Every structure is written in structure tokens, then in C-alpha cells.
Amino acid sequence: MGVIGKLLVANRGEIAVRIARACREMRIESVLASSEADDTRYVRRFFDGAVPIRSYLDVGAVMDAARAAGADAIHPGYGFLSERSQLAAACETSGITFVGPKASSIEAMGSKAGARRLMQSLGVPVVPGYDGEDQSDAIMKTEAKKIGFPVLVKASAGGGGKGMKIVRSDAELQPALESARREAQKAFGNDRLLLERYIEEPRHVEVQVFGDSRGEVIHLFERDCSVQRRHQKVVEESPAPHYPEELRRQMTAAAVAAARGVQYENAGTVEFIVTPDGEFYFLEMNTRLQVEHPVTELVTDVDLVRAQIDVASGRPLPWKEVRQRGHAVEVRIYAEDPDDRFLPQSGRIALLREPSGPGVRVDSGVMEGTEIGVSFDPMLAKLICYADDRGAAIDRVDRALREYIVLGLKTNTSWLRRVVTHPAFREGKVSTRFLIDHEEDLRRDVPEMIPLIAAALASVPQKPAARAAGGTQLPSVWDSVGPWGR
Ligand code: ADP
């Protein structure tokens, strides 16, 4: 803790850019921990320097990079690293400021089973389930029957939906336990499981919380992240649509109680699952900044990364009271093929036109020429739109997606347009089943690349020779865009 002069950012892509931007505005020197496997040409432009890093997942490698950079603070971004209590602990003992919560808070929330028990002791409701130490199949079987099918098997150390299995009958339990244990051991090095009642057609609503070193904890309202594919968020918004004020009040109070219970400092998110009857249960607390933080920034008019750095430096929370106004919607732009099982795409971005205009924010990690490899998650950018009300915010997302041009590899932009303009989404009828229930409607029926290519072509200066030839000759840029050129 103390004034930060030089900050190492141990993450990549759009989040690294986001943090570097806050540093520039705060006149803090920023250094990127840069991996060889990543094309960092775009991201580096936002930084004052860069040091190589062996792996973002290796705490020792991050500490070495911080020392090599001469940094007095580390921001872990929001990858797996940000939830490793070992990194926070290593910072605490070496006198480097960790921009995040204390190691003890990360640890307390690190196991889903442990966090559930802690929440119960604080009076925060948890999904009916089993989080005991006894992991024998016999106990799991008895407990699953007690909970009643369908049951959800979860990895206690889990994240990103890994190790999660829905079990609809007694007979399915044994194989689900085995495969969940295998997955959990492989992904997290820990095979402890827990059981929860599987809630049908729930909503995922989470609360942004923030604490400082003086023990002050506040909330910055909720985000609805119900539209998910395989338990991964696709669309996020704030406020949650059709959300009764009383429910919002109870849930934000429960979130603040949860954060206070672990003496929480810095930015965190308390995630809840909400039943169709409006009952809510604690799911987990993410002890870091989240991908979807911009929707909160837009509806509350705050800078969460700046506040993270302030609080880590020992300063009090920068706000006394935060108000929520208007509506913000975020969609995640991925290099993936929605028409072919959402397979991640790799290749070079040949042409890029990001949208802009009123109420449009793009948090991007790429530029024209960026190579998208296979080593990392293929998220290119996030598009976040703000307007006075939800309908106008959705129209803005649709308008901005129409302007979004990425050539050279396939992206999900057209599919996202179909998601946000779907009548059920417009009406705010969202649940975690949304993309399954409307899968057919969201399939592509017309080749939408044609108007996009026409728009891109119109923005490319044409060679006089091409015009003279009556447009039959393509301008030279089209030679470089691979299949789209043809
Ligand atoms: P992870 O840490 O792997 O992301 P979470 O516990 O945060 O796991 O849950 C991720 C998503 O899985 C939730 O947003 C929700 O869609 C679904 N989910 C989790 N628990 C339940 C449950 N008990 N019933 C139904 N769906 C659930």
C-alpha cells in the first residue's frame, strides 16, 4: 500500500488496454507483462513499457516480471491469476502493492463449498445443496436424493462452468461425479465437489461491490448476465430488466453483507441465481474486476479501475453515494463461428472498422493486422452501449453491430444482432435458457456478409484504375483479405 508510481499489468487484450488507460489518466507509468504467444502490437501502444512473461498463470513468473520492470504495484486483470491468493500473498510479503483484495478474502471465497458455508453463517441465502467434506459416492447419492433431482454437480474450486454437470436422475449421478472429478482435477488441481438443486430457467444477477482499507463497503447496483452459452456470459446489462425494487434492495444488501463478512477491499462481484418466483440465492463471489464491469461504469458514471488503484494505494472510496441512471448493454465480440458450433477462429484481422457515435463504447484488444492465435480465449473486444432506457440501448447495440466490420476471420457480430433484436430479449424475458430456447430463431438464414462487404468496400479508397475498369478489378486491399476478397 502506498503511492503507486509504476504498475505492472499481468493480463492481455482489452483488459490490459483498459487498465493502461486508467494509468495514463492518473499519470502512473504502466508496464505490460507480454507473452510470446500473443500478438501484443496493439496493446503495447497504450503502455509505457513491456517486459516478457513466461506465463500469466505462474505466480513466480509474475513476481519476476514485476521486479524486472521495477514496478511497485501489480494489477492482475481478470484472468485466473486475479483469483490466485498466492499472488496477493506474495505481494503482501514483498512490499509490492496488489491492486485487488487481501489474500485472506480471496482464499475465503476461493472454494465454492467454503464460501457457501460462510454465507450461511452470515444469513445470506444459498441454493439448497450439499457442501460437506465427505466426498464419498454413498454420501453424494444420499444427499442428491435429499435435494431432489435435477441436481447440479459443481467443482468447489470451479470457474468458467468447468466441472459442472446437470444430473436428472439417480442413474446419471455416478458417471457425472466421475467426470466432474476428472475435469476439476485437471483444470483446478482439486477434485472436491458440491451438489446444488438445479434451478430451472433461472436468471443470473450479480452485484458490484467495492470496499476500502477503512472497512467501508458499498454496492454499485446489479447486472443481469442471464444470456449465457454453456454457463458463459454473452450479453450483460444494467439495470436488470423487470426487476422489482424490493428484490434489488434485498439482493444488494445481501451482497454488501457478504463482502463485509470477508473484510473485502477493492472491487468484487457477488453472484446470485434468481428463481422465476423471485427467490435469490448466493452462487459465488468473484474477488476481482469482471469482464462486464463497463455496464456498471456507464449507468453509475464511475471509473472502477481508477477506484481500484485509489483504494489499493490506501485512499478511501472515491464516492459517498452512487446512483444508477439510464440503461447499458454489453455484448462480447468473439472470433468464433456461430454457424459451426461456435468454433474459435484463428487468423489475421485483415480489415477492422469499430463502431462509434453517441452512447457507444468499444473496449478492444485488437487492430487491423492482429494475429488471433489458438493459445488464448478468442474474445476480440466488448461493445457497450448506453441510452436513457433499455429499448434505446438495444437499438444502439444493433446499430453499432451493423457498423462493426471485421474481415479476415469469422466473428459472432451478426449472431449477436439476432440475439439482441429477438422479440423475447427486447421484452426482457431473459433466463439462462434463452439461447437454448431460441436456438432455431437465432440461426442464420441469409448470407449477411454481403451488405457488410459492400460497406467495407465503400470505405476503402479505390484505385483510379479499378474504377476505369468498370469496377471489375478489385482494389488492392482485397488481395489481402483472403476468402472475403474472392
Ligand atoms: P462458474 O464459477 O464455473 O462460472 P457459477 O457457480 O458462477 O460457476 O455458475 C455459472 C452459471 O451456471 C450460472 O450463471 C448459472 O447459469 C448456472 N448455475 C449455477 N448454479 C446453478 C444452479 N444451482 N441451478 C441452475 N443453474 C446454475
Side-chain angles (χ1 to χ4, degrees):
M1 207 174 277
V3 176
I4 296 173
K6 199 180 207 182
L7 179 79
L8 179 86
V9 178
N11 213 172
R12 54 179 297 281
E14 59 87 22
I15 178 57
V17 174
R18 171 72 189 86
I19 299 162
R21 281 181 162 147
C23 288
R24 285 252 158 103
E25 291 176 17
M26 298 174 83
R27 286 183 277 153
I28 292 171
E29 213 181 312
S30 62
V31 183
L32 174 71
S34 157
S35 156
E36 247 180 38
D38 202 15
D39 179 353
T40 57
R41 280 171 295 176
Y42 174 74
V43 173
R44 271 174 192 239
R45 304 195 312 194
F46 296 82
F47 281 82
D48 300 318
V51 289
I53 189 163
R54 299 191 296 278
S55 157
Y56 292 114
L57 301 178
D58 178 347
V59 170
V62 176
M63 295 305 290
D64 288 348
R67 279 184 213 107
D72 45 29
I74 297 175
H75 195 305
Y78 36 56
F80 275 124
L81 184 66
S82 60
E83 299 212 325
R84 289 262 162 107
S85 62
Q86 295 92 318
L87 179 63
C91 286
E92 283 165 21
T93 53
S94 66
I96 289 181
T97 300
F98 180 70
V99 182
K102 292 193 297 277
S104 57
S105 315
I106 301 178
E107 207 138 286
M109 290 297 182
S111 119
K112 286 190 207 284
R116 273 175 58 96
R117 292 180 155 197
L118 181 64
M119 289 306 117
Q120 279 170 295
S121 73
L122 295 169
V124 174
V126 301
V127 189
Y130 173 73
D131 49 30
E133 309 266 346
D134 188 339
Q135 296 281 302
S136 69
D137 289 358
I139 281 281
M140 291 288 185
K141 209 165 183 161
T142 321
E143 292 293 335
K145 276 197 187 131
K146 257 196 241 166
I147 297 164
F149 293 101
V151 157
L152 191 63
V153 177
K154 280 188 184 180
S156 180
K162 284 207 187 81
M164 218 185 268
K165 312 273 163 204
I166 303 169
V167 178
R168 298 207 172 265
S169 70
D170 205 0
E172 289 174 20
L173 185 64
Q174 180 70 29
L177 290 174
E178 280 167 22
S179 82
R181 279 192 191 112
R182 255 197 320 272
E183 252 175 59
Q185 184 62 43
K186 192 162 164 245
F188 316 109
N190 177 336
D191 68 356
R192 181 166 176 182
L193 302 179
L194 59 106
L195 304 175
E196 279 181 3
R197 189 169 93 210
Y198 180 70
I199 297 167
E200 306 272 2
E201 286 199 58
R203 284 171 72 174
H204 172 116
V205 184
E206 58 187 34
V207 178
Q208 176 74 54
V209 292
F210 222 113
D212 67 15
S213 59
R214 289 142 218 240
E216 194 71 43
V217 178
I218 65 157
H219 74 83
L220 294 98
F221 301 93
E222 82 289 2
R223 295 184 286 258
D224 189 309
C225 314
S226 300
V227 178
Q228 303 180 346
R229 210 179 71 77
R230 301 187 175 194
H231 309 301
Q232 297 275 45
K233 298 158 188 168
V234 172
V235 184
E236 300 108 341
E237 60 182 308
S238 185
H242 307 302
Y243 214 58
E245 201 43 52
E246 179 55 19
L247 193 55
R248 179 175 289 118
R249 200 192 55 71
Q250 287 175 10
M251 184 183 273
T252 50
V256 169
R260 285 223 170 93
V262 291
Q263 289 85 46
Y264 199 77
E265 286 175 31
N266 221 287
T269 296
V270 185
E271 298 191 331
F272 296 95
I273 194 156
V274 186
T275 70
D277 307 329
E279 269 180 276
F280 68 88
Y281 301 110
F282 170 86
L283 268 187
E284 64 168 349
M285 179 170 185
N286 288 325
T287 49
R288 55 179 162 85
L289 192 70
Q290 304 245 121
V291 176
E292 57 274 23
H293 75 277
V295 295
T296 298
E297 293 189 316
L298 293 186
V299 295
T300 57
D301 197 21
V302 304
D303 181 335
L304 288 170
V305 177
R306 187 184 187 104
Q308 281 197 296
I309 294 172
D310 272 338
V311 162
S313 315
R315 289 190 279 272
L317 281 174
W319 335 280
K320 278 276 161 288
E321 201 201 329
V322 178
R323 265 198 280 273
Q324 190 183 33
R325 82 261 184 288
H327 201 100
V329 178
E330 171 178 290
V331 290
R332 301 185 184 195
I333 313 294
Y334 274 94
E336 64 184 13
D337 185 358
D339 296 324
D340 188 9
R341 295 163 289 153
F342 293 87
L343 284 180
Q345 306 290 299
S346 57
R348 198 169 75 89
I349 299 179
L351 190 117
L352 179 67
R353 293 287 180 276
E354 286 169 346
S356 58
V360 172
R361 166 171 165 181
V362 179
D363 279 19
S364 175
V366 296
M367 66 178 180
E368 235 162 64
T370 296
E371 292 284 348
I372 306 302
V374 290
S375 312
F376 299 102
D377 166 276
M379 190 172 87
L380 305 180
K382 303 174 313 205
L383 166 68
I384 317 102
C385 293
Y386 174 82
D388 287 341
D389 60 51
R390 186 170 186 270
I394 292 172
D395 287 338
R396 226 163 224 173
V397 174
D398 184 37
R399 182 272 285 175
L401 284 170
R402 286 173 74 167
E403 290 174 18
Y404 221 123
I405 296 165
V406 188
L407 297 185
L409 37 77
K410 287 189 182 166
T411 70
N412 62 347
T413 53
S414 306
W415 179 78
L416 287 171
R417 280 191 65 202
R418 292 194 289 274
V419 173
V420 296
T421 57
H422 192 281
F425 183 80
R426 270 198 191 277
E427 285 170 35
K429 290 187 181 152
V430 289
S431 84
T432 62
R433 281 193 58 85
F434 184 90
L435 295 177
I436 298 168
D437 289 346
H438 304 292
E439 197 182 349
E440 280 304 312
D441 300 350
L442 298 172
R443 277 221 177 98
R444 177 189 300 257
D445 46 3
V446 283
E448 290 178 45
M449 274 325 283
I450 291 164
L452 284 181
I453 290 174
L457 199 51
S459 70
V460 172
Q462 298 205 7
K463 277 197 258 167
R467 290 214 191 99
T472 50
Q473 201 184 327
L474 284 169
S476 62
V477 66
W478 294 100
D479 299 344
S480 66
V481 299
W484 298 117
R486 285 195 290 282

PDB file of all heavy atoms in Angstrom, residues 112 127 152 154 158-162 164 196-199 202 204 228 231 271 273 283-284 432, ligand 1:
ATOM      1  N   LYS A 112     -15.975 -22.828  -3.560  1.00  0.00           N
ATOM      2  CA  LYS A 112     -17.426 -22.595  -3.575  1.00  0.00           C
ATOM      3  C   LYS A 112     -18.059 -23.189  -2.315  1.00  0.00           C
ATOM      4  O   LYS A 112     -18.997 -22.622  -1.756  1.00  0.00           O
ATOM      5  CB  LYS A 112     -18.056 -23.224  -4.812  1.00  0.00           C
ATOM      6  CG  LYS A 112     -17.774 -22.465  -6.108  1.00  0.00           C
ATOM      7  CD  LYS A 112     -18.651 -23.021  -7.222  1.00  0.00           C
ATOM      8  CE  LYS A 112     -18.047 -22.834  -8.596  1.00  0.00           C
ATOM      9  NZ  LYS A 112     -18.132 -21.490  -9.136  1.00  0.00           N
ATOM     10  N   VAL A 127     -28.185 -21.773  -2.466  1.00  0.00           N
ATOM     11  CA  VAL A 127     -29.030 -22.788  -3.116  1.00  0.00           C
ATOM     12  C   VAL A 127     -29.050 -24.034  -2.227  1.00  0.00           C
ATOM     13  O   VAL A 127     -27.981 -24.474  -1.781  1.00  0.00           O
ATOM     14  CB  VAL A 127     -28.454 -23.178  -4.505  1.00  0.00           C
ATOM     15  CG1 VAL A 127     -29.441 -24.068  -5.259  1.00  0.00           C
ATOM     16  CG2 VAL A 127     -28.098 -21.953  -5.329  1.00  0.00           C
ATOM     17  N   LEU A 152     -27.363 -30.235  -9.589  1.00  0.00           N
ATOM     18  CA  LEU A 152     -26.190 -29.751 -10.307  1.00  0.00           C
ATOM     19  C   LEU A 152     -24.944 -30.146  -9.532  1.00  0.00           C
ATOM     20  O   LEU A 152     -24.824 -29.829  -8.350  1.00  0.00           O
ATOM     21  CB  LEU A 152     -26.273 -28.229 -10.466  1.00  0.00           C
ATOM     22  CG  LEU A 152     -25.276 -27.567 -11.405  1.00  0.00           C
ATOM     23  CD1 LEU A 152     -25.460 -28.052 -12.841  1.00  0.00           C
ATOM     24  CD2 LEU A 152     -25.432 -26.045 -11.378  1.00  0.00           C
ATOM     25  N   LYS A 154     -21.081 -29.554  -9.003  1.00  0.00           N
ATOM     26  CA  LYS A 154     -20.130 -28.464  -9.279  1.00  0.00           C
ATOM     27  C   LYS A 154     -18.778 -28.759  -8.669  1.00  0.00           C
ATOM     28  O   LYS A 154     -18.703 -29.377  -7.609  1.00  0.00           O
ATOM     29  CB  LYS A 154     -20.613 -27.167  -8.610  1.00  0.00           C
ATOM     30  CG  LYS A 154     -21.670 -26.413  -9.316  1.00  0.00           C
ATOM     31  CD  LYS A 154     -21.860 -25.074  -8.607  1.00  0.00           C
ATOM     32  CE  LYS A 154     -22.990 -24.307  -9.237  1.00  0.00           C
ATOM     33  NZ  LYS A 154     -23.188 -23.018  -8.584  1.00  0.00           N
ATOM     34  N   GLY A 158     -14.197 -24.512  -8.847  1.00  0.00           N
ATOM     35  CA  GLY A 158     -14.549 -24.261 -10.247  1.00  0.00           C
ATOM     36  C   GLY A 158     -14.595 -22.814 -10.696  1.00  0.00           C
ATOM     37  O   GLY A 158     -14.587 -21.880  -9.915  1.00  0.00           O
ATOM     38  N   GLY A 159     -14.669 -22.683 -12.010  1.00  0.00           N
ATOM     39  CA  GLY A 159     -14.791 -21.397 -12.678  1.00  0.00           C
ATOM     40  C   GLY A 159     -15.012 -21.674 -14.148  1.00  0.00           C
ATOM     41  O   GLY A 159     -14.643 -22.754 -14.639  1.00  0.00           O
ATOM     42  N   GLY A 160     -15.662 -20.715 -14.831  1.00  0.00           N
ATOM     43  CA  GLY A 160     -15.865 -20.871 -16.268  1.00  0.00           C
ATOM     44  C   GLY A 160     -16.732 -22.068 -16.632  1.00  0.00           C
ATOM     45  O   GLY A 160     -16.651 -22.596 -17.735  1.00  0.00           O
ATOM     46  N   GLY A 161     -17.579 -22.491 -15.690  1.00  0.00           N
ATOM     47  CA  GLY A 161     -18.510 -23.590 -15.976  1.00  0.00           C
ATOM     48  C   GLY A 161     -17.842 -24.961 -16.041  1.00  0.00           C
ATOM     49  O   GLY A 161     -18.501 -25.959 -16.338  1.00  0.00           O
ATOM     50  N   LYS A 162     -16.538 -25.025 -15.750  1.00  0.00           N
ATOM     51  CA  LYS A 162     -15.828 -26.314 -15.848  1.00  0.00           C
ATOM     52  C   LYS A 162     -16.198 -27.227 -14.680  1.00  0.00           C
ATOM     53  O   LYS A 162     -16.315 -26.777 -13.555  1.00  0.00           O
ATOM     54  CB  LYS A 162     -14.312 -26.097 -15.864  1.00  0.00           C
ATOM     55  CG  LYS A 162     -13.810 -25.596 -17.179  1.00  0.00           C
ATOM     56  CD  LYS A 162     -12.350 -26.003 -17.394  1.00  0.00           C
ATOM     57  CE  LYS A 162     -11.819 -25.360 -18.639  1.00  0.00           C
ATOM     58  NZ  LYS A 162     -11.409 -23.957 -18.427  1.00  0.00           N
ATOM     59  N   MET A 164     -18.993 -28.746 -14.288  1.00  0.00           N
ATOM     60  CA  MET A 164     -20.403 -28.606 -13.896  1.00  0.00           C
ATOM     61  C   MET A 164     -21.263 -29.594 -14.688  1.00  0.00           C
ATOM     62  O   MET A 164     -21.141 -29.652 -15.905  1.00  0.00           O
ATOM     63  CB  MET A 164     -20.834 -27.179 -14.209  1.00  0.00           C
ATOM     64  CG  MET A 164     -21.751 -26.598 -13.177  1.00  0.00           C
ATOM     65  SD  MET A 164     -22.335 -24.998 -13.684  1.00  0.00           S
ATOM     66  CE  MET A 164     -21.160 -23.938 -12.972  1.00  0.00           C
ATOM     67  N   GLU A 196     -25.896 -28.961  -5.791  1.00  0.00           N
ATOM     68  CA  GLU A 196     -26.915 -27.930  -5.587  1.00  0.00           C
ATOM     69  C   GLU A 196     -28.183 -28.344  -6.302  1.00  0.00           C
ATOM     70  O   GLU A 196     -28.115 -29.056  -7.314  1.00  0.00           O
ATOM     71  CB  GLU A 196     -26.440 -26.589  -6.182  1.00  0.00           C
ATOM     72  CG  GLU A 196     -25.493 -25.822  -5.309  1.00  0.00           C
ATOM     73  CD  GLU A 196     -25.068 -24.489  -5.911  1.00  0.00           C
ATOM     74  OE1 GLU A 196     -25.565 -24.124  -7.008  1.00  0.00           O
ATOM     75  OE2 GLU A 196     -24.245 -23.813  -5.282  1.00  0.00           O
ATOM     76  N   ARG A 197     -29.295 -27.888  -5.795  1.00  0.00           N
ATOM     77  CA  ARG A 197     -30.524 -28.096  -6.548  1.00  0.00           C
ATOM     78  C   ARG A 197     -30.358 -27.370  -7.882  1.00  0.00           C
ATOM     79  O   ARG A 197     -29.871 -26.242  -7.912  1.00  0.00           O
ATOM     80  CB  ARG A 197     -31.715 -27.520  -5.783  1.00  0.00           C
ATOM     81  CG  ARG A 197     -33.037 -27.898  -6.429  1.00  0.00           C
ATOM     82  CD  ARG A 197     -34.171 -27.552  -5.501  1.00  0.00           C
ATOM     83  NE  ARG A 197     -34.664 -26.225  -5.807  1.00  0.00           N
ATOM     84  CZ  ARG A 197     -35.197 -25.403  -4.914  1.00  0.00           C
ATOM     85  NH1 ARG A 197     -35.313 -25.750  -3.659  1.00  0.00           N
ATOM     86  NH2 ARG A 197     -35.621 -24.221  -5.284  1.00  0.00           N
ATOM     87  N   TYR A 198     -30.730 -28.030  -8.977  1.00  0.00           N
ATOM     88  CA  TYR A 198     -30.637 -27.367 -10.279  1.00  0.00           C
ATOM     89  C   TYR A 198     -31.892 -26.533 -10.475  1.00  0.00           C
ATOM     90  O   TYR A 198     -33.003 -27.061 -10.490  1.00  0.00           O
ATOM     91  CB  TYR A 198     -30.480 -28.394 -11.404  1.00  0.00           C
ATOM     92  CG  TYR A 198     -30.377 -27.732 -12.748  1.00  0.00           C
ATOM     93  CD1 TYR A 198     -29.246 -26.998 -13.087  1.00  0.00           C
ATOM     94  CD2 TYR A 198     -31.419 -27.801 -13.660  1.00  0.00           C
ATOM     95  CE1 TYR A 198     -29.151 -26.353 -14.306  1.00  0.00           C
ATOM     96  CE2 TYR A 198     -31.329 -27.157 -14.894  1.00  0.00           C
ATOM     97  CZ  TYR A 198     -30.194 -26.438 -15.196  1.00  0.00           C
ATOM     98  OH  TYR A 198     -30.106 -25.797 -16.403  1.00  0.00           O
ATOM     99  N   ILE A 199     -31.710 -25.238 -10.576  1.00  0.00           N
ATOM    100  CA  ILE A 199     -32.862 -24.350 -10.706  1.00  0.00           C
ATOM    101  C   ILE A 199     -33.197 -24.188 -12.186  1.00  0.00           C
ATOM    102  O   ILE A 199     -32.322 -23.845 -12.989  1.00  0.00           O
ATOM    103  CB  ILE A 199     -32.576 -23.004 -10.015  1.00  0.00           C
ATOM    104  CG1 ILE A 199     -32.386 -23.300  -8.525  1.00  0.00           C
ATOM    105  CG2 ILE A 199     -33.693 -22.008 -10.231  1.00  0.00           C
ATOM    106  CD1 ILE A 199     -31.800 -22.199  -7.734  1.00  0.00           C
ATOM    107  N   PRO A 202     -33.505 -20.100 -14.446  1.00  0.00           N
ATOM    108  CA  PRO A 202     -33.189 -19.008 -13.529  1.00  0.00           C
ATOM    109  C   PRO A 202     -32.635 -17.802 -14.266  1.00  0.00           C
ATOM    110  O   PRO A 202     -32.336 -17.870 -15.463  1.00  0.00           O
ATOM    111  CB  PRO A 202     -32.089 -19.618 -12.662  1.00  0.00           C
ATOM    112  CG  PRO A 202     -31.342 -20.507 -13.611  1.00  0.00           C
ATOM    113  CD  PRO A 202     -32.375 -21.036 -14.580  1.00  0.00           C
ATOM    114  N   HIS A 204     -29.397 -14.992 -13.900  1.00  0.00           N
ATOM    115  CA  HIS A 204     -28.134 -14.732 -13.216  1.00  0.00           C
ATOM    116  C   HIS A 204     -28.053 -13.221 -13.003  1.00  0.00           C
ATOM    117  O   HIS A 204     -27.998 -12.460 -13.960  1.00  0.00           O
ATOM    118  CB  HIS A 204     -26.958 -15.221 -14.086  1.00  0.00           C
ATOM    119  CG  HIS A 204     -25.611 -14.828 -13.550  1.00  0.00           C
ATOM    120  ND1 HIS A 204     -24.677 -15.748 -13.128  1.00  0.00           N
ATOM    121  CD2 HIS A 204     -25.036 -13.615 -13.356  1.00  0.00           C
ATOM    122  CE1 HIS A 204     -23.594 -15.106 -12.703  1.00  0.00           C
ATOM    123  NE2 HIS A 204     -23.791 -13.808 -12.848  1.00  0.00           N
ATOM    124  N   GLN A 228     -26.576 -16.630 -21.553  1.00  0.00           N
ATOM    125  CA  GLN A 228     -25.314 -17.363 -21.460  1.00  0.00           C
ATOM    126  C   GLN A 228     -25.305 -18.534 -22.429  1.00  0.00           C
ATOM    127  O   GLN A 228     -26.351 -19.056 -22.778  1.00  0.00           O
ATOM    128  CB  GLN A 228     -25.148 -17.962 -20.051  1.00  0.00           C
ATOM    129  CG  GLN A 228     -25.199 -16.964 -18.927  1.00  0.00           C
ATOM    130  CD  GLN A 228     -25.034 -17.625 -17.560  1.00  0.00           C
ATOM    131  OE1 GLN A 228     -25.131 -18.845 -17.437  1.00  0.00           O
ATOM    132  NE2 GLN A 228     -24.802 -16.821 -16.544  1.00  0.00           N
ATOM    133  N   HIS A 231     -23.014 -21.802 -19.726  1.00  0.00           N
ATOM    134  CA  HIS A 231     -22.685 -21.137 -18.458  1.00  0.00           C
ATOM    135  C   HIS A 231     -21.687 -19.999 -18.629  1.00  0.00           C
ATOM    136  O   HIS A 231     -21.077 -19.565 -17.661  1.00  0.00           O
ATOM    137  CB  HIS A 231     -22.152 -22.129 -17.408  1.00  0.00           C
ATOM    138  CG  HIS A 231     -23.020 -23.330 -17.223  1.00  0.00           C
ATOM    139  ND1 HIS A 231     -24.345 -23.241 -16.837  1.00  0.00           N
ATOM    140  CD2 HIS A 231     -22.781 -24.649 -17.388  1.00  0.00           C
ATOM    141  CE1 HIS A 231     -24.854 -24.447 -16.773  1.00  0.00           C
ATOM    142  NE2 HIS A 231     -23.938 -25.325 -17.115  1.00  0.00           N
ATOM    143  N   GLU A 271     -22.312 -12.975  -6.994  1.00  0.00           N
ATOM    144  CA  GLU A 271     -23.222 -13.523  -8.000  1.00  0.00           C
ATOM    145  C   GLU A 271     -24.383 -14.270  -7.339  1.00  0.00           C
ATOM    146  O   GLU A 271     -24.167 -15.029  -6.390  1.00  0.00           O
ATOM    147  CB  GLU A 271     -22.469 -14.489  -8.928  1.00  0.00           C
ATOM    148  CG  GLU A 271     -21.350 -13.807  -9.706  1.00  0.00           C
ATOM    149  CD  GLU A 271     -20.768 -14.677 -10.821  1.00  0.00           C
ATOM    150  OE1 GLU A 271     -20.796 -15.918 -10.695  1.00  0.00           O
ATOM    151  OE2 GLU A 271     -20.310 -14.107 -11.826  1.00  0.00           O
ATOM    152  N   ILE A 273     -28.256 -16.422  -8.133  1.00  0.00           N
ATOM    153  CA  ILE A 273     -29.152 -17.043  -9.082  1.00  0.00           C
ATOM    154  C   ILE A 273     -30.563 -16.733  -8.581  1.00  0.00           C
ATOM    155  O   ILE A 273     -30.816 -16.782  -7.382  1.00  0.00           O
ATOM    156  CB  ILE A 273     -28.834 -18.549  -9.208  1.00  0.00           C
ATOM    157  CG1 ILE A 273     -29.508 -19.136 -10.413  1.00  0.00           C
ATOM    158  CG2 ILE A 273     -29.160 -19.330  -7.964  1.00  0.00           C
ATOM    159  CD1 ILE A 273     -28.814 -20.374 -10.922  1.00  0.00           C
ATOM    160  N   LEU A 283     -24.457 -17.521  -5.331  1.00  0.00           N
ATOM    161  CA  LEU A 283     -23.743 -18.522  -6.136  1.00  0.00           C
ATOM    162  C   LEU A 283     -22.262 -18.538  -5.772  1.00  0.00           C
ATOM    163  O   LEU A 283     -21.702 -19.550  -5.429  1.00  0.00           O
ATOM    164  CB  LEU A 283     -23.837 -18.184  -7.621  1.00  0.00           C
ATOM    165  CG  LEU A 283     -24.950 -18.759  -8.465  1.00  0.00           C
ATOM    166  CD1 LEU A 283     -24.692 -18.399  -9.921  1.00  0.00           C
ATOM    167  CD2 LEU A 283     -25.076 -20.254  -8.300  1.00  0.00           C
ATOM    168  N   GLU A 284     -21.627 -17.377  -5.926  1.00  0.00           N
ATOM    169  CA  GLU A 284     -20.205 -17.264  -5.590  1.00  0.00           C
ATOM    170  C   GLU A 284     -19.823 -15.791  -5.591  1.00  0.00           C
ATOM    171  O   GLU A 284     -20.572 -14.950  -6.068  1.00  0.00           O
ATOM    172  CB  GLU A 284     -19.339 -18.017  -6.606  1.00  0.00           C
ATOM    173  CG  GLU A 284     -19.412 -17.460  -8.007  1.00  0.00           C
ATOM    174  CD  GLU A 284     -18.331 -18.034  -8.934  1.00  0.00           C
ATOM    175  OE1 GLU A 284     -17.413 -18.701  -8.438  1.00  0.00           O
ATOM    176  OE2 GLU A 284     -18.408 -17.779 -10.136  1.00  0.00           O
ATOM    177  N   THR A 432     -31.308 -18.125 -18.116  1.00  0.00           N
ATOM    178  CA  THR A 432     -30.089 -18.776 -18.602  1.00  0.00           C
ATOM    179  C   THR A 432     -30.407 -19.778 -19.715  1.00  0.00           C
ATOM    180  O   THR A 432     -29.511 -20.323 -20.329  1.00  0.00           O
ATOM    181  CB  THR A 432     -29.312 -19.473 -17.459  1.00  0.00           C
ATOM    182  OG1 THR A 432     -30.154 -20.484 -16.912  1.00  0.00           O
ATOM    183  CG2 THR A 432     -28.928 -18.495 -16.367  1.00  0.00           C
TER     184      THR A 432
HETATM  185  P1  ADP B   1     -18.510 -20.829 -12.530  1.00  0.00           P
HETATM  186  O1  ADP B   1     -17.695 -20.356 -11.366  1.00  0.00           O
HETATM  187  O2  ADP B   1     -17.988 -22.098 -13.136  1.00  0.00           O
HETATM  188  O3  ADP B   1     -18.787 -19.760 -13.528  1.00  0.00           O
HETATM  189  P2  ADP B   1     -21.083 -20.436 -11.176  1.00  0.00           P
HETATM  190  O4  ADP B   1     -21.403 -21.070  -9.889  1.00  0.00           O
HETATM  191  O5  ADP B   1     -20.725 -18.986 -11.153  1.00  0.00           O
HETATM  192  O6  ADP B   1     -19.911 -21.279 -11.882  1.00  0.00           O
HETATM  193  O7  ADP B   1     -22.279 -20.657 -12.191  1.00  0.00           O
HETATM  194  C1  ADP B   1     -22.199 -20.306 -13.564  1.00  0.00           C
HETATM  195  C2  ADP B   1     -23.575 -20.400 -14.202  1.00  0.00           C
HETATM  196  O8  ADP B   1     -24.105 -21.740 -14.066  1.00  0.00           O
HETATM  197  C3  ADP B   1     -24.624 -19.520 -13.568  1.00  0.00           C
HETATM  198  O9  ADP B   1     -24.606 -18.217 -14.087  1.00  0.00           O
HETATM  199  C4  ADP B   1     -25.901 -20.264 -13.947  1.00  0.00           C
HETATM  200  O10 ADP B   1     -26.253 -20.014 -15.275  1.00  0.00           O
HETATM  201  C5  ADP B   1     -25.505 -21.718 -13.838  1.00  0.00           C
HETATM  202  N1  ADP B   1     -25.806 -22.264 -12.487  1.00  0.00           N
HETATM  203  C6  ADP B   1     -25.004 -22.268 -11.405  1.00  0.00           C
HETATM  204  N2  ADP B   1     -25.603 -22.836 -10.350  1.00  0.00           N
HETATM  205  C7  ADP B   1     -26.837 -23.199 -10.746  1.00  0.00           C
HETATM  206  C8  ADP B   1     -27.956 -23.863 -10.116  1.00  0.00           C
HETATM  207  N3  ADP B   1     -27.902 -24.268  -8.849  1.00  0.00           N
HETATM  208  N4  ADP B   1     -29.078 -24.073 -10.875  1.00  0.00           N
HETATM  209  C9  ADP B   1     -29.129 -23.711 -12.166  1.00  0.00           C
HETATM  210  N5  ADP B   1     -28.111 -23.096 -12.814  1.00  0.00           N
HETATM  211  C10 ADP B   1     -26.978 -22.846 -12.128  1.00  0.00           C
END
